[in-house]
Amino acid sequence: MHFTYLNPTKSAVFKDRFVTKVGETIVPFEKGRNGEVGLIGLPSSKSSISLSMAANAPESIRKALNSFSTYSATMQHDFRDERIVDFGDVPIHPTSVSDTIDRLHLSIQEMLQIDACNRYIMLGGDHGISYPSIHAFQKKYGTIGVIQWDAHHDVRNLEDGGRTNGTPFRSLLEEGIIKGEHLVQVGIRNYSNAEAYDQYANEKGIHVYMMEDIEEKGILPIIEKEVERLSSEVDFIYLSVDMDSVDQAHAPGCPAIGPGGFTSRELLSSIKKAAEFPKTRAMDIVEIDPSQDVRDMTSRLAAHVMMKFMYKA
């Protein structure tokens, strides 16, 4: 039978022939298929020290990409031909955090071994995913520099709860995967950390920029200065974007929301600035709980973070 309007194979979504949505440029990985950007979901949030359903964020962010077009009016360029190769989501162990970390690490290693893409985006999950992810990139590319957008240092001790979303950078530092001077933290906020962890960051030589520094100096000069420095010292630059670095008014779907963070424009402009440097080739986005979001505001902002990293526009 021929249907006049029904099409059982397609959703009933309006399609403008002149508009390409970012989500339409995503293709599943197949052997021999290459693309500009590789995408992988790391839906782990069992290690969160606060109640979180951040494991649902990769799906939510992918969905949000269907809300935006590939055309940049600023650059007068359409990125519809820039393909995103999706490697899917890593299945998380139902009970073991350590087994989950091993799965994430191995999956990213296998993705990188294929050399199908020039740059990579990891969608968390809580911030605990940065430990196995950065470790995998370090094994592949050598000396790693990291710029971390965050309200928190994430250098908590491991004695009080093992590896959590508050420990990834302590783990990386203690295991010698990264050096303190190669870690830049921007957006650290008052009343969000302990004195011991502030001291630890200083002792390890981490380059820390409080929100007061951002207000005084501006985020773009700081990012430009630090990426230029890292570019002369490391082989590869990795961006780690904790969405709770953004003010709660702009990112209500974070487990650890708080006032006084970045505006959405500050976050987006700083990601674009960092992405302009050739050695900046990977990024993770973490700490979005879609169940706590308002009209997908935080997932939509994360989608724009992806676009700034991919298109540099």
Side-chain angles (χ1 to χ4, degrees):
M1 177 180 176
H2 173 73
F3 292 115
T4 303
Y5 294 108
L6 292 176
N7 188 335
T9 65
K10 295 182 179 180
S11 58
V13 177
F14 172 76
K15 173 62 179 173
D16 184 319
R17 71 186 70 182
F18 299 113
V19 177
T20 302
K21 299 293 188 179
V22 179
E24 295 179 71
T25 68
I26 299 177
V27 294
F29 170 74
E30 294 178 0
K31 187 176 181 180
R33 172 174 279 171
N34 296 330
E36 176 58 29
V37 175
L39 180 66
I40 188 170
L42 309 178
S44 170
S45 58
K46 290 184 182 299
S47 68
S48 179
I49 60 177
S50 55
L51 183 64
S52 172
M53 295 182 67
N56 295 332
E59 178 183 3
S60 179
I61 298 170
R62 285 188 182 95
K63 181 180 177 182
L65 290 170
N66 291 313
S67 299
F68 306 108
S69 79
T70 55
Y71 177 67
S72 166
T74 305
M75 294 188 69
Q76 296 283 289
H77 181 77
D78 198 318
F79 292 92
R80 59 176 174 265
D81 295 324
E82 190 160 310
R83 190 160 56 184
I84 304 168
V85 178
D86 195 342
F87 288 82
D89 290 352
V90 180
I92 302 306
H93 194 283
T95 58
S96 173
V97 171
S98 61
D99 281 359
T100 289
I101 289 173
D102 291 342
R103 290 185 182 192
L104 301 180
H105 180 70
L106 177 61
S107 297
I108 295 172
Q109 278 191 297
E110 290 174 343
M111 176 181 70
L112 296 179
Q113 286 170 2
I114 297 168
D115 280 326
C117 304
N118 294 319
R119 291 175 292 157
Y120 297 90
I121 297 174
M122 281 57 63
L123 299 180
D126 67 35
H127 217 155
I129 65 97
S130 294
Y131 165 61
S133 180
I134 293 171
H135 191 189
F137 277 91
Q138 182 266 332
K139 284 184 175 180
K140 170 73 173 179
Y141 294 105
T143 308
I144 299 287
V146 179
I147 301 182
Q148 172 193 353
W149 282 255
D150 210 326
H152 314 94
H153 290 297
D154 285 356
V155 293
R156 290 177 183 266
N157 75 85
L158 281 80
E159 289 75 22
D160 288 335
R163 298 196 195 282
T164 69
N165 63 336
T167 66
F169 294 99
R170 193 181 195 103
S171 297
L172 291 165
L173 291 164
E174 294 297 323
E175 295 181 24
I177 298 167
I178 61 173
K179 296 179 180 180
E181 60 266 32
H182 294 158
L183 174 58
V184 179
Q185 298 181 332
V186 293
I188 302 298
R189 294 210 290 270
N190 272 341
Y191 315 115
S192 298
N193 299 276
E195 181 180 8
Y197 301 136
D198 191 41
Q199 292 176 346
Y200 179 87
N202 290 332
E203 290 167 3
K204 291 295 182 179
I206 299 172
H207 289 227
V208 176
Y209 293 90
M210 304 288 294
M211 281 306 300
E212 286 77 7
D213 297 313
I214 307 300
E215 292 172 5
E216 180 182 344
K217 302 174 184 177
I219 184 61
L220 295 186
I222 290 172
I223 292 296
E224 185 169 26
K225 170 189 171 184
E226 290 294 348
V227 182
E228 284 181 350
R229 178 182 67 84
L230 288 175
S231 294
S232 68
E233 298 176 3
V234 303
D235 302 312
F236 190 97
I237 297 175
Y238 183 110
L239 313 181
S240 186
V241 184
D242 188 325
M243 294 298 290
D244 71 25
S245 63
V246 181
D247 192 282
Q248 61 189 6
H250 300 267
C254 296
I257 60 171
F262 290 115
T263 66
S264 58
R265 285 194 296 178
E266 286 175 323
L267 175 65
L268 294 173
S269 63
S270 59
I271 296 294
K272 175 180 178 292
K273 175 61 67 176
E276 290 171 353
F277 289 78
K279 287 188 178 181
T280 303
R281 295 181 54 200
M283 177 179 69
D284 67 42
I285 303 174
V286 299
E287 298 295 346
I288 298 174
D289 182 348
S291 71
Q292 299 298 318
D293 211 357
V294 178
R295 297 195 65 188
D296 298 322
M297 284 173 59
T298 315
S299 291
R300 286 175 179 243
L301 178 55
H304 259 269
V305 169
M306 286 183 60
M307 292 154 63
K308 288 293 184 182
F309 176 78
M310 293 188 298
Y311 305 147
K312 307 171 190 177

